[in-house]
Amino acid sequence: MLAQSVTAQSRPDSFADLAEKFSPAVVNITTSTVVSRGTGPSPVVPEGSPFEDFFREFRDRSGNGDRPRRTSALGSGFVISEDGYIVTNNHVIESADEIIIEFYEGGELEAKVIGTDPKTDIALLKVEAKTPLAYVSFGDSDTARVGDWVMAMGNPLGQGFSVSAGIVSARNRALSGTYDDYIQTDAAINRGNSGGPLFNMNGEVVGVNTAILSPNGGSIGIGFSMASNVVTRVVDQLREFGETRRGWLGVRIQDVTDDVAEAIGLEKASGALVTDVPEGPAAEAGMLAGDVILSFDGKEVADTRELVRRVGNAEVGKTVRIVVFRDGGTQTLKVTLGRREVAEGAVPVAQPNGDADQGMVEKTVLGLTLVPLDDELREQLNLADNAAGLVVRDIDELSEAYEKGLRAGDLITEAGQQKLTGISDLEDRIVEAREAGRKSLLLLVRRDGEPRFVALSLEEAPDAE
């Protein structure tokens, strides 16, 4: 009974005081954009049809053909400083020609864009006001617990200022972005709420309302707010530089699965497996494809998502210590981080060429019908002249390899973390793995230039045919 009493007392009697105190800092955002009429769909009418004249007259009446027209959109935002900085979603103001801020207590001001970050869907705006503006402060989203009360404010469906309340339903949700860290809430969020704040019961902003999960476009109690600890870092950089400046390691990575861990002799399936090392900081520090990153800048790495976030949050130009698992042991590398925005177009290091098996046409191994890469196949697969490896000519659809996503046309460049130039190399790697007591063999597979590691079981696999 005592526990129930304490729980009941912790539930707020009303959200009215919070809503009254902080609503002046929440704004409605109206954007307008000029678009060409020719960009929309139009009915296709066969020439000579009796409806041809009707549709021609309809188009003429509805806007003089392809004459440009102005469209508007609605969203939400909130003021974070008395001198007029405003946070909203990037998708609210993207491509807008004009941005108008409407304040809760009346009045409108035109805003200019200070900077945007599409990766986290955050934008920073600025208005020039004659008097100091009411504003709100960010809180620590890491302290938000599942079950905590939260309150959302914004402009749902263009109906004007509105408040909704609920709880934190889940934490650390990832939707589609590289740096996603969403708070899931059942506080009602609808179209037009985008860019509005999610408050905790101390009146601190712990999230920026960004997306809803809905089959019909309306709230079904599953909304997502970008965590404030992500937003504050982005906003600080946009405010200082007008752009983001994220750290860049210079690797392609994938999660370590149980079978991959077993194949390389790693005790537990954790860390980030390096699949490729383009020219950049990691390559200069000696990192290799096949390394597993266990620790970054003194902190353990659980998976690829965690590594990406830590690297992105690190200071550009900082030298960090990275512990990698390689050849059954660990090594420590010192890497000076680059800037991701500058390096987005980095080209992966080309695979060195080797001598392919001569006279070997094809062979079936582990359910894969393989042929050595030659000039004709390089041209067919649009590969570099110095690319090397084994091409999957065919695949047994009942095999483990097929279940794990391998397909005809894939290029296998490594087995057991060693380069392949011919089928005999693969057979040797299978023998070595079995002699070492391994239950699986790690393959590096490339498709359309994108690498990934796949571990295939050797326990029930027959010897190479």
Side-chain angles (χ1 to χ4, degrees):
M1 291 295 293
L2 177 62
Q4 292 177 352
S5 176
V6 171
T7 302
Q9 290 174 5
S10 66
R11 179 174 179 173
D13 294 328
S14 172
F15 295 91
D17 290 340
L18 281 176
E20 183 177 356
K21 182 177 181 179
F22 297 107
S23 55
V26 181
V27 299
N28 294 340
I29 299 178
T30 304
T31 65
S32 61
T33 308
V34 175
V35 297
S36 171
R37 284 192 178 274
T39 59
S42 58
V44 178
V45 182
E47 186 175 353
S49 166
F51 294 102
E52 187 176 11
D53 292 338
F54 171 79
F55 279 111
R56 183 184 298 112
E57 291 174 4
F58 174 79
R59 286 195 301 268
D60 292 342
R61 288 197 308 269
S62 62
N64 297 323
D66 292 334
R67 184 177 178 180
R69 60 188 175 89
R70 182 171 291 276
T71 63
S72 61
L74 299 172
S76 306
F78 54 99
V79 183
I80 62 168
S81 67
E82 64 179 11
D83 58 344
Y85 282 97
I86 295 172
V87 172
T88 186
N89 282 145
N90 176 61
H91 76 260
V92 169
I93 55 90
E94 192 172 19
S95 303
D97 299 318
E98 185 180 47
I99 304 171
I100 300 297
I101 306 299
E102 179 186 352
F103 293 89
Y104 173 76
E105 296 179 335
E108 295 182 350
L109 289 174
E110 186 172 353
K112 65 177 181 179
V113 178
I114 299 301
T116 64
D117 180 33
K119 293 185 183 300
T120 56
D121 197 15
I122 295 298
L124 182 65
L125 312 178
K126 181 72 164 61
V127 296
E128 299 298 335
K130 295 181 180 179
T131 58
L133 298 175
Y135 65 94
V136 292
S137 301
F138 286 105
D140 183 359
S141 57
D142 287 344
T143 64
R145 300 178 304 162
V146 173
D148 280 350
W149 285 99
V150 286
M151 181 176 66
M153 292 188 185
N155 177 27
L157 305 174
Q159 296 300 305
F161 181 81
S162 178
V163 175
S164 59
I167 63 170
V168 174
S169 303
R171 289 289 318 277
N172 303 121
R173 292 297 201 201
L175 299 183
S176 59
T178 305
Y179 301 99
D180 285 1
D181 184 9
Y182 284 103
I183 294 173
Q184 180 185 327
T185 179
D186 65 348
I189 296 174
N190 286 284
R191 292 176 180 175
N193 271 116
S194 292
L198 186 73
F199 289 101
N200 62 19
M201 292 300 96
N202 295 322
E204 299 169 325
V205 178
V206 293
V208 178
N209 301 325
T210 302
I212 60 174
L213 185 62
S214 172
N216 55 19
S219 174
I220 59 170
I222 303 178
F224 300 94
S225 296
M226 181 62 73
S228 61
N229 284 357
V230 174
V231 177
T232 51
R233 284 188 290 265
V234 171
V235 167
D236 288 345
Q237 291 188 342
L238 295 180
R239 196 169 180 173
E240 183 176 359
F241 306 114
E243 59 186 359
T244 56
R245 298 187 177 184
R246 292 188 171 94
W248 179 60
L249 182 57
V251 292
R252 292 180 178 177
I253 52 178
Q254 70 180 60
D255 285 332
V256 179
T257 59
D258 290 334
D259 52 0
V260 168
E262 196 283 328
I264 62 177
L266 192 61
E267 289 186 2
K268 64 176 183 177
S270 64
L273 177 60
V274 178
T275 62
D276 205 354
V277 188
E279 295 179 4
E284 293 172 3
M287 193 170 293
L288 303 174
D291 287 348
V292 177
I293 298 175
L294 303 177
S295 170
F296 176 85
D297 200 18
K299 297 182 179 179
E300 289 188 6
V301 172
D303 52 27
T304 56
R305 184 182 173 212
E306 183 176 337
L307 177 63
V308 169
R309 288 175 55 193
R310 286 186 179 170
V311 173
N313 292 335
E315 182 182 351
V316 175
K318 181 180 181 180
T319 299
V320 298
R321 292 179 179 271
I322 298 178
V323 178
V324 301
F325 179 85
R326 180 190 298 173
D327 297 332
T330 60
Q331 298 186 27
T332 300
L333 306 175
K334 287 186 177 182
V335 182
T336 301
L337 300 177
R339 183 182 170 195
R340 183 183 179 94
E341 291 81 0
V342 174
E344 290 285 357
V347 180
V349 177
Q351 294 285 343
N353 195 12
D355 294 328
D357 289 6
Q358 298 298 321
M360 180 71 71
V361 179
E362 67 179 38
K363 202 164 188 177
T364 300
V365 183
L366 302 175
L368 302 166
T369 301
L370 303 169
V371 293
L373 188 61
D374 57 20
D375 290 338
E376 182 179 350
L377 285 172
R378 288 188 185 94
E379 184 176 353
Q380 290 178 10
L381 300 175
N382 196 26
L383 299 173
D385 293 340
N386 59 353
L390 304 177
V391 176
V392 179
R393 175 79 78 181
D394 199 4
I395 184 169
D396 181 357
E397 294 188 4
L398 299 178
S399 67
E400 179 192 17
Y402 188 87
E403 291 180 0
K404 291 190 173 181
L406 272 75
R407 296 294 184 267
D410 286 349
L411 177 65
I412 302 174
T413 60
E414 292 184 13
Q417 297 179 288
Q418 297 184 52
K419 306 292 184 186
L420 295 178
T421 58
I423 293 177
S424 61
D425 292 337
L426 176 59
E427 293 173 329
D428 290 342
R429 300 295 85 76
I430 292 174
V431 171
E432 291 171 2
R434 283 176 170 155
E435 290 178 348
R438 299 274 187 235
K439 297 180 181 179
S440 55
L441 180 67
L442 193 67
L443 305 180
L444 179 56
V445 182
R446 292 179 180 270
R447 181 184 300 165
D448 298 327
E450 294 295 325
R452 68 185 182 102
F453 281 102
V454 177
L456 296 184
S457 174
L458 298 176
E459 287 185 313
E460 299 179 1
D463 292 329
E465 299 173 358

